[in-house]
Amino acid sequence: MADAPGVVISEVYGGGGNSGATWRNDFIELGNPGGADVGLDGWSVQYLPAQPGANTRAQVTALSGVIAADGRYLVQEGAGSGGTRDLPAADAAGGIAMAAGQGTVLLVDGTDPVTCRTAAECAADDAVVDLVGYGAAAIHETAPAPAGSNTASLARDGGLADTDDNSADFTAGDPTPTNSAGETGDGGDGGTPEPEEPGELRIHDIQGTTRVSPQAGRPVTGVPGVVTAVNTTGSARGFWFQDAEGDDDPRTSEALFVFTGSTTPDVAVGDEVLVSGRVEEYRPGAADMRLQAITQLTGAVWTVLSSGNTLPAAVALRPDTVPDAYAPDAGGDVSGLDLRPDDYALDFWAAHEHMLLRVQDARVVGATDGFNALWITTKPDQNAAARGGAVYGSYDDANSGRLKIESLIPFAERPFPRADVGDELRGVTEGPLYYSQYGGYLLRATTLGEHVGNGLERETTSRGRDWELSAATYNVENLSPADEQDKFDRLAEGIVANLRSPDIVNLEEIQDNSGPANDGVVDADETLERLVAAIKDAGGPTYHWRQISPENNQDGGQPGGNIRNAFLFNPARTSFVDVAGGDATTPVEVTTRRGQVGLSVSPGRIEPQDPAWRSSRKPLVGQFRFQGRDVFVVTNHFNSKGGDQPLHGTTQPPNRSSEQQRNAQADLVRGFVDELTAADPDANVLVVGDLNDFQFSRTLETLTADGGLHNPMTELPAEERYNYVYDGNAQALDHMLVTPRVAHRVRYDIVHLNAEFHDQSSDHDPQVLRFRPLSGDRKLDRREDNQYYRGNGPR
């Protein structure tokens, strides 16, 4: 990045002309905190979407003239159909339509579109003078600034502090466009006076009977209520207030949030207030995610009429309060539908937006995360997992009792609990209901129940037998030499002590030797050797490993990380059949020589140049030999669920766009397995790994239907079918599948080490599968069935 001669991006606003906006145009404001004027001829401001692709072209607005010392420079960008005010006279103008919530703006010494598409690449570009990534932007300095909105811009403080950390330097607040002449505006219509009398509308009139306010984009005055909670930190500060009277319509919420940006509002809980402001429907996240809108007031002023008032009674969330059905099957957008809070959980939450809710003695179903949040259930008997969670077992049953908990209590006063699944928040947990793109509806606690631990323990699998081959699969979550030794040691301890040193360990998310550095390195020998050494130090065997390095940045995952699948194997128990020639682009094929089925390359990859694997990990195939018997293993990490619409969004049922690629990947893997079993019906084949889909999904059906692979997870009790916890749903993303002829010999175990715990070495639980491979001699195999499996062989 270029040495900035005193010029920075001072403010970014992408909500111009959108619903609820005052300003008609987007804008970018520059600031010059230096002591000298700076010429801008030949410079430009440029815009990239939050997740630019390789073919994305930066949009450019050329600059000219001078930005004075301690001055501002205003660039007007694209207009929307809404808004009520024009910007001050702009110093430069373009037509870029920036996203309100997320994106990246760059200040460039030049007018050619930048070609960088990652944060590291842009930081290394000498033409880039400054940049700000906001919301979920992939390109940013250190960490992205908060998300903007239709009524909130991202701005530096008055001193234009620049620490090269967008999250620290920018806060969300009311847009304040300022041009080089110092002309600005307050964003209002001449200033709104503090209300003295109640207006015509009450909160339920503003909230309405659907998810979108009938007053959206309009000013309202003198709305009465009592302050129930105040958010005093972060870039989305404000307060909740609630009407104690109500209208007895279960569809209309009786509470609102007043958004004050980075300013802490001067109100206290119990204040009786009259509030005036503009009604905004703030919708977080990207537009294609179709998230719920949050009805709130912006640009607000208020009058405190009295203090110390009794708060409206909180709605008690008992096991039968929230409907069991999660959302209407509308076949599209539910935003305009009348709410049915007695029928659907999402409608219940929407109808109680911002209102005080209370839950008593809540069980934790999602452990505390790194952002000080956890998940509880209001329905303790709903799909209860064996260890305390809530099992997600069907697209038709999303566990409607799940509710995310965050705290409004200062952590210095009450540290947030470090809770595991099955723990309890005993007593009352109470606060206003809010909404976030990360998990949906959540309770912002003003009262937090006492954390009571349940003593959840990490599991250890049973001991293996000498005549069984043991294989495990483990997603080790972006493991690289950049990780602390503690992560290697904890993974090693889990493999040795909890998995009991399997003969074969199939690994997903092994990164290259430089980890997330996007430097062209693709080899992963240092990563694997460090893990192997940690396993030996933990008392395990000295594993050998096999893998194939991908082409740089062609297998998805963290940019620069080059994640891939890998095999570890214990040479004292099993051997690897090496067949040279496997590389990133050569497809593995099934071979038959002198009646023996084998592989053309080992290790190899299944159709690595097929479009199904574009920007995704390719399966790693290897041939092993255990006690003279061949075993073929396919280790997978299918396309992620990124881009799928969430369960809690406005599109019902949600669009699961990512599964199309997984289905195509499953077709290729199934085709390869079918070739193997056609060549040898008794072939011992394992298809394992992070398939990124559920046991009831089409992806798994593709692999298992019509005489395909067998999934031993389906033989477990329903309350045990999970190895990952997401948004409080215990679910199955990782699988170990076997060919049907060997299914009766399998012992299968999900070993819960991580997903249910706030302290994790990975976010996935590993699995272990044990079996005696078939010999290919039917008589011998029948004798072994009688000896080892009590005659329970295939019919």
Side-chain angles (χ1 to χ4, degrees), residues 146-193:
S149 72
N150 293 355
T151 57
S153 67
L154 294 313
R156 296 184 192 269
D157 63 19
L160 301 180
D162 184 9
T163 67
D164 290 333
D165 182 345
N166 291 160
S167 67
D169 293 340
F170 287 83
T171 57
D174 292 338
T176 57
T178 305
N179 62 16
S180 59
E183 297 169 339
T184 185
D186 60 10
D189 298 306
T192 303

Side-chain angles (χ1 to χ4, degrees), residues 496-743:
V496 174
N498 300 89
L499 304 186
R500 298 189 186 273
S501 301
D503 301 324
I504 302 171
V505 183
N506 302 278
L507 300 171
E508 299 88 46
E509 292 200 16
I510 292 292
Q511 289 197 345
D512 64 35
N513 293 335
S514 62
N518 196 2
D519 53 8
V521 171
V522 295
D523 292 336
D525 56 308
E526 295 176 23
T527 308
L528 289 162
E529 289 294 348
R530 190 169 164 189
L531 178 59
V532 165
I535 292 171
K536 182 179 180 182
D537 289 345
T542 301
Y543 281 106
H544 292 186
W545 53 267
R546 296 291 188 273
Q547 63 95 50
I548 292 177
S549 293
E551 295 181 292
N552 189 44
N553 283 334
Q554 296 304 303
D555 279 25
Q558 189 174 19
N562 289 309
I563 60 174
R564 82 290 308 274
N565 306 315
F567 298 126
L568 303 184
F569 63 95
N570 179 1
R573 292 271 300 165
T574 187
S575 60
F576 190 84
V577 180
D578 287 292
V579 181
D583 57 28
T585 59
T586 299
V588 63
E589 296 177 358
V590 178
T591 63
T592 303
R593 296 186 180 91
R594 298 176 182 175
Q596 288 292 111
V597 173
L599 303 176
S600 60
V601 292
S602 177
R605 303 174 112 193
I606 296 175
E607 301 293 345
Q609 298 190 40
D610 191 281
W613 307 113
R614 184 175 293 119
S615 297
S616 184
R617 286 71 54 180
K618 285 71 175 172
L620 185 69
V621 182
Q623 183 176 354
F624 294 84
R625 191 157 288 144
F626 175 78
Q627 297 182 0
R629 302 175 183 197
D630 288 330
V631 178
F632 299 93
V633 182
V634 185
T635 301
N636 304 273
H637 188 181
F638 282 3
N639 181 50
S640 80
K641 289 183 173 293
D644 285 4
Q645 293 174 340
L647 293 175
H648 53 79
T650 58
T651 300
Q652 295 296 333
N655 180 12
R656 299 185 295 271
S657 58
S658 68
E659 68 182 13
Q660 181 176 355
Q661 186 172 3
R662 283 193 301 280
N663 293 340
Q665 293 172 345
D667 279 333
L668 292 176
V669 172
R670 173 68 186 271
F672 177 79
V673 173
D674 286 349
E675 286 186 42
L676 266 174
T677 55
D680 179 4
D682 290 333
N684 300 290
V685 185
L686 305 182
V687 172
V688 305
D690 181 358
L691 303 184
N692 262 316
D693 227 328
F694 315 119
Q695 69 274 21
F696 49 82
S697 68
R698 181 182 165 191
T699 297
L700 269 295
E701 182 181 351
T702 297
L703 293 167
T704 60
D706 301 323
L709 294 157
H710 171 68
N711 187 355
M713 181 185 294
T714 60
E715 297 178 347
L716 296 177
E719 62 268 22
E720 297 180 13
R721 299 174 192 168
Y722 65 93
N723 45 50
Y724 189 81
V725 179
Y726 180 73
D727 286 356
N729 266 330
Q731 54 194 241
L733 296 182
D734 306 77
H735 301 271
M736 302 192 79
L737 313 179
V738 300
T739 38
R741 288 196 59 81
V742 80

Side-chain angles (χ1 to χ4, degrees), residues 303-340:
T303 300
V304 176
L305 302 177
S306 62
S307 299
N309 294 280
T310 300
L311 302 188
V315 175
L317 299 175
R318 300 184 178 89
D320 59 352
T321 302
V322 182
D324 291 336
Y326 191 71
D329 187 357
D333 192 348
V334 299
S335 297
L337 302 181
D338 262 8
L339 296 172
R340 296 169 58 183

